[in-house]
Amino acid sequence: MIIAGVILAGGQSSRFGRHKMFEVFQGLPLYHHSLNALRQNNLCPIIIATNDALFPSFPPHSDVTWLIETPSHQGPLFALHQLFIENPDIEWFFVIASDMPYMSADFVKLLLQKIDSCYDAVIPQQSARIQPLAALYRRSALATTTKLVANNHRSMKALLAEIRVHYVDFSVNDNVFTNINYETDWPKGDK
Ligand SMILES: Nc1nc2c(ncn2[C@@H]2O[C@H](COP(=O)(O)OP(=O)(O)OP(=O)(O)O)[C@@H](O)[C@H]2O)c(=O)[nH]1
């Protein structure tokens, strides 16, 4: 069974003001923290989902394949749908946003252990807040993404309402789901 690691790196960063995935956090571009968490779990392939405007800003990565979305800026649900369509041999996609400075290999390992073929997605939650952008999706969700995209629905929550979801509680007080939206979101003293 193939499980791909996917980094969502095609956002507009309009709240941040410049492309946040390339901001350096603890010596690495922000998206690299997601990349390393996937790499350390030996997920293969690793796919960076982005667009043709952002693609030239990435350095070459010999172990990465690229999804260049057309049209761009359609949001994570559309990106997931394109991943399903363009990778018919891949059963599960471990999708992680590119703006999570504390993303860790340990978290990826723990969620991978929750894969269960009775479900279409495995979604972590912390303090009742779900984390659809650090989660596993199975290609069995394709029929639903097809319908939502055709109806111009772009919400991950709409997808989760229609598929079989295994919610996994991560109740430890952990910052793994911290994400950066604004310049002021950088954890104090850590950057
Ligand atoms: N591949 C891909 N990733 C996306 C897309 N939209 C958002 N993302 C990624 O999803 C994660 C969360 O995105 P947001 O912070 O909600 O949106 P954003 O467009 O990056 O930023 P804002 O413009 O400030 O909302 C980030 O890692 C984005 O790069 C998209 O259309 N395609």
Side-chain angles (χ1 to χ4, degrees):
M1 181 176 71
I2 303 176
I3 308 170
V6 176
I7 299 165
L8 291 176
Q12 304 194 67
S13 303
S14 54
R15 287 168 288 177
F16 195 84
R18 56 190 184 278
H19 296 303
K20 56 186 174 177
M21 68 281 279
F22 301 118
E23 290 290 300
V24 174
F25 178 75
Q26 296 184 344
L28 289 174
L30 190 47
Y31 78 93
H32 253 262
H33 296 272
S34 303
L35 180 59
N36 285 343
L38 296 168
R39 275 179 174 158
Q40 286 165 30
N41 282 276
N42 300 314
L43 293 184
C44 184
I46 291 180
I47 303 168
I48 297 183
T50 186
N51 56 57
D52 55 4
L54 284 167
F55 174 67
S57 300
F58 287 89
H61 291 292
S62 59
D63 60 341
V64 165
T65 59
W66 300 87
L67 173 72
I68 307 299
E69 293 158 25
T70 45
S72 59
H73 301 145
Q74 300 299 301
L77 176 69
F78 183 80
L80 179 64
H81 179 66
Q82 285 217 325
L83 284 159
F84 287 150
I85 298 281
E86 298 207 1
N87 298 280
D89 298 333
I90 299 176
E91 183 72 4
W92 287 91
F93 296 77
F94 201 131
V95 171
I96 307 183
S98 54
D99 61 358
M100 302 181 113
Y102 298 115
M103 185 42 60
S104 77
D106 284 349
F107 160 72
V108 171
K109 185 176 174 189
L110 281 171
L111 205 68
L112 283 169
Q113 289 167 2
K114 305 294 181 187
I115 281 188
D116 181 332
S117 58
C118 296
Y119 295 99
D120 307 310
V122 183
I123 308 288
Q125 60 181 4
Q126 191 181 44
S127 308
R129 187 166 171 195
I130 64 165
Q131 299 292 341
L133 300 190
L136 278 152
Y137 296 90
R138 187 169 166 229
R139 63 175 312 98
S140 51
L142 172 61
T144 308
T145 62
T146 303
K147 187 184 80 178
L148 291 172
V149 166
N151 292 331
N152 213 22
H153 286 150
R154 293 289 187 264
S155 145
M156 292 301 273
K157 283 192 177 159
L159 171 67
L160 298 182
E162 295 199 26
I163 62 177
R164 297 164 299 173
V165 182
H166 181 25
Y167 289 102
V168 179
D169 203 23
F170 281 80
S171 49
V172 282
N173 191 13
D174 193 339
N175 51 14
V176 71
F177 302 120
T178 298
N179 77 300
I180 304 296
N181 289 320
Y182 297 92
E183 180 85 62
T184 49
D185 288 342
W186 289 116
K188 280 195 177 53
D190 257 6
K191 190 162 187 250

